[in-house]
Amino acid sequence: MKKTIVYLLLGIASCLSLFISPGCNKINPFTKEKQITVCFVPLDGISKSQIEELKKDFQENFTDKREEVFFVESLEHFNTSDSCINRKYNRFEAGTMLKFLNNQFGESANKIACENSERGSSDYYIIGVTNKDISKSNLHNKPNYGILGKSTLGGNVSVISTYRLKNKKELWKLAMHEFGHGYFNLNHCENDDPSCIMADAKGGNPHFELKDTLCSTCYEKSLRPDIIRKIIN
């Protein structure tokens, strides 16, 4: 009888720990969805007004307005570390920038995500925005290839650049493309759907003017299909 009571008390204590454990990354048993805070970091020559416009466009075109699932914030302006420069090509090395952004802003972004959380569970995602040229090594058979953005599949940080973006009004689509790679673990659209935000530029013009949605295949392949939302035009 005593053992039964002990086991019962241990079970109750275990359940209570879900509610009183410190930190904001504990999954609330009453909700299946997490809240995500996307933190834009203005880098180098990116202005506050550019970031504010990006935040507005990103939130209006992606966030589901029926419920607060996504928060969109901006962090302080920062200059990219000189350690990220590939001096031979005078470009920032995108992979090194991802590490720099995570090391420099991970703690701040996590703190903001915790403050935004109302359900006991929250993720953060960092997107650095620069106007400098960024590149990736050994891409398309070139030792150093200029790119628009880079992410780690399933990671929590991306970097995007306005340097090669023809229409700056479509910066939010570039941000969404990289966010799709990182947070939703999506590869490039396997259907090559020209309207899908995850379609690959294949080393050319990404034609963001044609992209205004997420195709059904990419939607279904998302790492987090319970929270991803159709992008609205």
Side-chain angles (χ1 to χ4, degrees):
M1 180 67 177
K2 289 183 178 180
K3 286 185 177 181
T4 301
I5 294 174
V6 170
Y7 291 145
L8 179 61
L9 291 174
L10 286 174
I12 294 172
S14 178
C15 291
L16 288 174
S17 69
L18 292 172
F19 300 95
I20 63 177
S21 295
C24 64
N25 291 316
K26 301 295 183 182
I27 296 177
N28 189 321
F30 296 115
T31 173
K32 295 180 180 179
E33 295 184 343
K34 279 193 172 187
Q35 290 176 312
I36 305 96
T37 296
V38 179
C39 295
F40 287 108
V41 180
L43 298 169
D44 313 309
I46 294 295
S47 67
K48 183 177 180 181
S49 62
Q50 284 177 294
I51 288 293
E52 290 303 313
E53 183 175 1
L54 174 57
K55 284 172 55 182
K56 178 176 176 289
D57 290 342
F58 188 92
Q59 196 156 19
E60 285 185 352
N61 288 283
F62 181 68
T63 304
D64 189 326
K65 297 176 177 61
R66 292 170 299 175
E67 53 183 321
E68 289 290 348
V69 176
F70 285 82
F71 293 93
V72 184
E73 308 280 358
S74 59
L75 302 184
E76 70 271 22
H77 180 277
F78 215 82
N79 288 322
T80 303
S81 170
D82 288 345
S83 64
C84 298
I85 298 176
N86 184 323
R87 299 199 179 278
K88 181 178 180 180
Y89 297 95
N90 195 30
R91 292 169 172 168
F92 284 117
E93 208 290 311
T96 308
M97 288 185 75
L98 295 182
K99 296 176 183 177
F100 159 74
L101 286 165
N102 196 42
N103 291 337
Q104 188 69 42
F105 298 100
E107 185 175 341
S108 299
N110 186 56
K111 181 179 179 181
I112 292 172
C114 289
E115 292 172 351
N116 283 338
S117 176
E118 298 172 355
R119 302 179 180 181
S121 178
S122 183
D123 284 340
Y124 71 86
Y125 196 94
I126 299 169
I127 303 179
V129 189
T130 181
N131 62 350
K132 304 297 184 181
D133 200 10
I134 65 175
S135 63
K136 186 179 186 301
S137 300
N138 302 316
L139 185 64
H140 298 299
N141 297 316
K142 294 186 178 181
N144 189 268
Y145 192 86
I147 58 177
L148 284 164
K150 181 174 174 60
S151 308
T152 301
L153 283 176
N156 67 340
V157 60
S158 297
V159 60
I160 59 176
S161 169
T162 64
Y163 187 86
R164 297 172 182 273
L165 188 64
K166 292 183 178 181
N167 186 351
K168 304 300 188 283
K169 292 289 185 181
E170 294 176 335
L171 183 58
W172 77 268
K173 295 184 180 182
L174 174 57
M176 183 60 231
H177 179 92
E178 295 303 329
F179 186 54
H181 282 319
Y183 193 74
F184 294 113
N185 198 42
L186 290 171
N187 286 297
H188 286 133
C189 179
E190 63 183 44
N191 300 325
D192 281 333
D193 185 337
S195 67
C196 181
I197 207 79
M198 295 309 298
D200 186 6
K202 297 182 179 178
N205 187 339
H207 294 291
F208 277 120
E209 72 275 7
L210 302 176
K211 299 172 173 52
D212 61 4
T213 189
L214 199 66
C215 75
S216 58
T217 301
C218 289
Y219 185 92
E220 291 168 1
K221 284 182 174 293
S222 169
L223 181 67
R224 299 173 170 88
D226 57 327
I227 57 175
I228 198 168
R229 297 291 186 256
K230 270 285 194 185
I231 300 172
I232 56 175
N233 189 4

